[in-house]
Amino acid sequence: MTIVQVASPLTAIAIRTRQAASKLALLGTEAKNQALVAIAQALESAGEEILQANAADCQAAAVEGIAKPLYKRLQLDEHKLRDAIAGVRDVGKLADPVGKVQIHRELDTGLTLKRITCPLGVLGIIFEARPEAAIQIVSLAIKSGNGVILKGGKEAVRSCEAIVKAIKQGLSHTAVNPDAVQLLTTREEIQELLQLDKYVDLIIPRGSNSFVKYVQENTRIAVLGHADGICHLYIDQAADIDKAVTIAVDAKTQYPAACNAIETLLVHSNIAAEFLPQVAAALQKSHVELRGDERTLEIIPHIAAAIATDWETEYSDLILAIKIVDSLEDAIAHIAEYGSRHTEAIVTEDLAAAESFLGLVNAAGVYHNCSTRFADGFRYGFGAEVGISTQQMPPRGPVGLEGLITYKYQMVGDGHIAATYTGANAKAFTHQDLG
């Protein structure tokens, strides 16, 4: 008797996504850009429906009492939606990353080699809260020729369903098969998704440190992700005080729930007495809870005392730990010990100190005299991002189009065989680059 194995519903979805992605990979730039325009128009048309779905998600989340930072990320207003749709159009204006010839080389007469960029295939993106991330991810996936399977957090399920419904509606009138974009809605599907290494080429988890580690330890699929965003701002002894206060306030308060907001402020001891009272007043005006080490408490005694775990905590909230250090080297050592290799910044007018900081700090983003909040694919001019990678190997930092492609080697000959180039009478390769 023949036993017929029936694919699970999720496997069937992955197969359809892969089939759609294989056709998407062959589409030209114009067809992909037309698809992005259609997505943007469909999202605009469905704007009211999407915002109503988000309002329902937020109401349910409030009843469940989810954490304040997560609730903040969940909220989607007309401005956020407008910016996300603008991002789709911006991605359409970017150069197509697919089909670029990186190497074109003659190995011998009539034998040529090319290295050409191509899509990864199918992306599995797992993210929590922020529903507009679905819009960013899909736009980058389409432009880079990849299919995508999305899994948003349960708190954003209505928002994500409304967004993906609109995206599929938009794609239905284009050369891109709507099956290239899929949405999963249950937690149980995550574990099954991680087992689909035959159909999914890259998993990008966006969530807590423990969740990212769980994903890495439970799949054979390549994983690209960042966990904690423990970012630092170091105020050097040669800092401009006014500039330092402005940058510190922005880096903490502009959007405290973001992974690129600072969690620790490091201050050189030579400038601490002048700087700390001013920055404390400015931060407290924005309702930031400050926690300081012993030396900080001597200068601003009315704040809470920091404890050991504060240096390794991502608050994602209006809370900031402050520590006084005696040198640039001490600041760099603290960052090396507690940083998450996300984004680190120095404020100083000493160019030598800035160069040392930029060169020695190991992070995806290292800044001088500007806010860490600039660590973002849209702000980098990538149009959008699928996430931020804090791994050492590329892609690193905000992952845009270039992080969603790979390359293949194509060789064309005319009956050439390897034996010709070995042995006593071996023929030599020409190895001539053809431009």
Side-chain angles (χ1 to χ4, degrees), residues 122-311:
V122 175
L123 314 174
I125 318 288
I126 309 169
F127 59 100
E128 53 180 11
R130 197 175 287 125
E132 69 271 22
I135 299 173
Q136 297 179 345
I137 292 162
V138 169
S139 63
L140 290 171
I142 297 295
K143 185 65 181 254
S144 58
N146 292 291
V148 61
I149 300 174
L150 302 166
K151 172 60 182 76
K154 66 176 182 178
E155 68 284 343
V157 66
R158 299 173 187 85
S159 305
C160 289
E161 284 177 334
I163 287 170
V164 172
K165 177 185 174 183
I167 288 171
K168 284 178 167 287
Q169 179 64 29
L171 289 178
S172 67
H173 304 295
T174 74
V176 177
N177 187 333
D179 281 345
V181 180
Q182 304 286 354
L183 175 68
L184 309 183
T185 57
T186 68
R187 187 176 185 86
E188 292 72 30
E189 290 171 311
I190 294 177
Q191 185 58 45
E192 189 178 350
L193 175 65
L194 298 182
Q195 306 311 311
L196 296 179
D197 52 291
K198 186 176 179 180
Y199 307 107
V200 179
D201 299 281
L202 179 68
I203 295 286
I204 303 179
R206 295 171 53 157
S208 67
N209 188 35
S210 59
F211 176 68
V212 173
K213 287 182 177 178
Y214 171 82
V215 170
Q216 291 169 331
E217 293 168 359
N218 287 276
T219 186
R220 293 191 296 270
I221 305 170
V223 177
L224 175 69
H226 88 274
D228 293 341
I230 302 177
C231 304
H232 300 75
L233 180 65
Y234 166 57
I235 311 302
D236 185 54
Q237 62 180 337
D240 177 298
I241 296 288
D242 291 338
K243 191 181 294 181
V245 170
T246 301
I247 291 172
V249 171
D250 182 87
K252 178 71 259 186
T253 70
Q254 198 272 331
Y255 188 43
C259 57
N260 56 18
I262 60 169
E263 307 296 4
T264 299
L265 184 66
L266 302 172
V267 183
H268 194 289
S269 55
N270 289 353
I271 203 172
E274 182 181 3
F275 171 73
L276 283 174
Q278 294 185 48
V279 77
L283 288 165
Q284 288 173 329
K285 188 178 293 184
S286 295
H287 310 291
V288 178
E289 175 190 334
L290 303 177
R291 302 175 183 180
D293 68 345
E294 289 184 11
R295 298 168 74 183
T296 298
L297 293 175
E298 292 174 4
I299 299 172
I300 43 174
H302 55 285
I303 67 171
I307 58 176
T309 55
D310 282 312
W311 312 124

Side-chain angles (χ1 to χ4, degrees), residues 16-40:
R16 292 201 306 272
T17 309
R18 193 157 196 84
Q19 290 170 342
S22 66
K23 295 176 181 176
L24 171 58
L26 298 176
L27 288 182
T29 304
E30 186 59 33
K32 291 187 289 188
N33 287 345
Q34 287 173 356
L36 292 175
V37 170
I39 287 173

Side-chain angles (χ1 to χ4, degrees), residues 29-76:
T29 304
E30 186 59 33
K32 291 187 289 188
N33 287 345
Q34 287 173 356
L36 292 175
V37 170
I39 287 173
Q41 292 173 342
L43 288 168
E44 286 172 340
S45 297
E48 190 58 38
E49 182 182 342
I50 293 169
L51 293 178
Q52 288 177 359
N54 183 253
D57 280 334
C58 289
Q59 186 176 4
V63 171
E64 291 180 15
I66 68 168
K68 180 183 172 185
L70 198 61
Y71 185 85
K72 186 72 175 175
R73 293 188 191 122
L74 174 62
Q75 290 180 302
L76 179 64

